[in-house]
Amino acid sequence: MAATSSTLSFPVINMEKLQTEEKPAAMEVIRDACENWGFLELLNHGVSHELMDEVERLTKAHYASCREPKFQEFAARTLEAGEKGADVKDVDWESTFFVRHLPASNIADLPDLDDHYRQVMKQFASEIQKLSEKLLDLLCENLGLEQGYLKQAFAGSNGPTFGTKVSAYPPCPRPDLVDGLRAHTDAGGIILLFQDDQVSGLQLLKDGEWVDVPPVRHAIVVNIGDQLEVITNGRYKSVMHRVLTRPDGNRMSIASFYNPGADAVIFPAPALVAAADEERAGAAYPRFVFEDYMNLYVRHKFEAKEPRFEAMKSEIATA
């Protein structure tokens, strides 16, 4: 597949326009982005630039002080293996840690975060959660669903699952050997990404071409997960995306995942099934429990999503 660096038409939403007479045009960009790109980029989203700057400063300092030595050991082993002819394409050139926020936070249990970093990350997570829920209501409006439908669909018995993956993608002297993160779709609901504005590398697959997701200062990148594709009966699409390695620059990525609760039952919204074209014959996706899907996803993350949906149909048929 060819690669392209074209970003001229990448969907960007200035959220301030949603409060003006330009709202219909902005909502149309959101609709097109969710249906045809699976990604969009938000400006003026309400998360303060000062908070984002502090998150970035602390995250990069934390990598340098706590995680870089361990990554360098991994990098040396991976490069040595690759240069000796071993296939290292099933390895991701990244250093990551995970913070769970909902239903219960684990941030106090992470051993190498100082108190200030913990507090800033908690504040940032709170702001991203609010933005996630605001977006879900905008998507309900766009889809013609009643307000709160998507948030309720994610709720399960204990509310949504919400967590953050903090990643560094350090320089790689052999970008031909290994990807930063292999191509995949995201399993969950809606993903909000605070990405490095100095070091690019994130790409999505559109119409058979890899398209750069443009780094923009203080923007939040949003992408659609598999569960939103199911709930919208295919109106919205989760898309394959990847992170390339680069010979220079250490890329920061802070991805927050607003996902269904483990026991949430996921199925196409009846209103969208009723509105589907006749030839689609109703619901195009199965009904399943999110945790069951995740158990399948962890084994098949870097594969096409369609067989996962088919497997969930089969699981229902044999239940």
Side-chain angles (χ1 to χ4, degrees), residues 95-154:
S95 171
T96 67
F97 67 92
F98 297 86
V99 185
R100 187 179 66 248
H101 312 299
L102 295 174
S105 174
N106 72 340
I107 196 165
D109 303 326
L110 299 178
D112 57 1
L113 308 187
D114 64 41
D115 287 343
H116 180 54
Y117 191 21
R118 287 182 215 272
Q119 286 304 118
V120 170
M121 287 299 286
K122 285 168 69 174
Q123 184 183 356
F124 181 68
S126 175
E127 293 297 313
I128 292 294
Q129 181 186 342
K130 285 189 285 187
L131 180 57
S132 301
E133 293 172 352
K134 183 176 182 178
L135 273 170
L136 288 178
D137 276 342
L138 281 171
L139 299 185
C140 283
E141 185 177 346
N142 229 324
L143 290 159
L145 297 172
E146 61 189 61
Q147 286 295 294
Y149 182 91
L150 291 173
K151 185 178 177 183
Q152 185 58 38
F154 283 16

Side-chain angles (χ1 to χ4, degrees), residues 14-32:
N14 178 350
M15 292 191 73
E16 289 181 343
K17 292 185 176 180
L18 295 168
Q19 310 301 321
T20 73
E21 69 279 0
E22 295 183 69
K23 179 177 178 178
M27 292 293 279
E28 174 59 22
V29 175
I30 293 174
R31 182 203 62 76
D32 178 68

Side-chain angles (χ1 to χ4, degrees), residues 177-190:
L177 287 179
V178 61
D179 286 328
L181 180 59
R182 289 163 283 165
H184 63 287
T185 66
D186 287 328
I190 190 168

Side-chain angles (χ1 to χ4, degrees), residues 183-205:
H184 63 287
T185 66
D186 287 328
I190 190 168
I191 300 87
L192 277 68
L193 169 68
F194 174 22
Q195 69 166 345
D196 204 301
D197 67 297
Q198 298 297 314
V199 186
S200 62
L202 177 61
Q203 295 186 324
L204 64 92
L205 189 62

